[in-house]
Amino acid sequence: MLQAKSSRAWATIIGWLTAPVLLISAIAAQAPTSTIAPSKGSPVPPVVIKIDEKRFAELIKPNGKPLLINFWATWCEPCREEFPSLVKIDAEYKEKIDFITISLDFEEELNTGVPKFLAAMKATMPTYLLITPDETAAISMVSKDWAGGLPFTVLYESGGKISYFRQGIVRHDILQKEIDKVLTVPAVIPTQIVELPLLRQIRSIDDGIADAKRDVAKGEYSLFRYGFSPSVPEEFFDGLKTKYSVSVRRSGCFIPVEGEEYVKGYNQTVISTLAERHGEKMRGLLAFANQ
């Protein structure tokens, strides 16, 4: 884990092309690197929750509101420089968006350096410490465009689409504009996806034959009509009902929910029965149902 954290620190510092001594001191000390101490009367250090990769995947999904996430670490100087602006953003958009921060600090900072830093910043947004053996996998969950450098800020629309991201310090005014943009996007309301009958061939031709025989035995004659069959006057169907006691089940241009094979078996069985009873003319008369 120390090696992974050190590699991450190195990637961040290289990304910023600034003093590599930050990395050297972080590795050598293996201790809290925050130099900001809570001032007298500052709030009690916030609770920082340790999370694994599974919980991390859940956190980065919006829950009905735009979601802003900032990735940072106490050993990252640009992160510390940026943080007061993020605290201000949190105050400005309370209740309008969800805002969390995820620290990539060492695990031993869970109850020391990280909460002390947050208390000094007077931060109130939820903060999590990500502990994972594969940070590359966690990074790829967020964005393919994130190279792993810190700080990294990403803004999601309520539906989960990334609206804005930046690797590096964010400008307060730009972040404001980006948040205001996503707040104008209508909230995504979960809807039930209805499977169209066209995709539901769930019953067999044998099922259709068996059901048709059962209905015919009870004196019930009906036929399925669906698809782009030629237009038939309404009076024609009224005549079938009056003269032959045959009703027609209509499904518009969709295959009935029972499925195409089922309907084929059902219709052919009913048509054959009616042809035996009233003559072969019935086959031509009922051709609309012989898909």
Side-chain angles (χ1 to χ4, degrees), residues 207-261:
D207 291 330
I209 293 171
D211 286 354
K213 287 180 176 179
R214 181 201 62 206
D215 291 345
V216 165
K218 294 188 294 185
E220 297 174 0
Y221 300 96
S222 64
L223 293 166
F224 290 92
R225 180 182 182 230
Y226 68 95
F228 296 101
S229 53
S231 178
V232 180
E234 197 66 30
E235 294 80 7
F236 174 81
F237 297 116
D238 292 340
L240 285 179
K241 182 70 174 174
T242 301
K243 189 172 182 179
Y244 299 105
S245 300
V246 177
S247 60
V248 178
R249 309 182 194 184
R250 293 172 234 194
S251 300
C253 60
F254 297 112
I255 295 172
V257 295
E258 291 84 354
E260 186 172 15
E261 290 301 306

Side-chain angles (χ1 to χ4, degrees), residues 164-178:
Y164 170 79
F165 70 88
R166 175 167 174 77
Q167 182 173 287
I169 296 176
V170 293
R171 277 179 44 184
H172 181 266
D173 59 332
I174 291 178
L175 188 53
Q176 277 183 317
K177 289 178 183 177
E178 295 297 334

Side-chain angles (χ1 to χ4, degrees), residues 248-291:
V248 178
R249 309 182 194 184
R250 293 172 234 194
S251 300
C253 60
F254 297 112
I255 295 172
V257 295
E258 291 84 354
E260 186 172 15
E261 290 301 306
Y262 174 92
V263 168
K264 185 184 296 183
Y266 190 99
N267 281 359
Q268 287 177 355
T269 301
V270 173
I271 290 173
S272 294
T273 302
L274 290 170
E276 289 175 5
R277 178 165 298 186
H278 300 289
E280 286 298 312
K281 64 179 181 179
M282 294 300 294
R283 294 190 187 275
L285 197 62
L286 304 176
F288 68 87
N290 195 17
Q291 298 284 338

Side-chain angles (χ1 to χ4, degrees), residues 3 12 18 32 48 50 86 127 158 188 212 217 238 257-258 264 279:
Q3 182 180 1
T12 302
T18 56
V48 180
K50 182 171 70 172
L86 296 176
T127 297
S158 60
V188 175
D238 292 340
V257 295
E258 291 84 354
K264 185 184 296 183

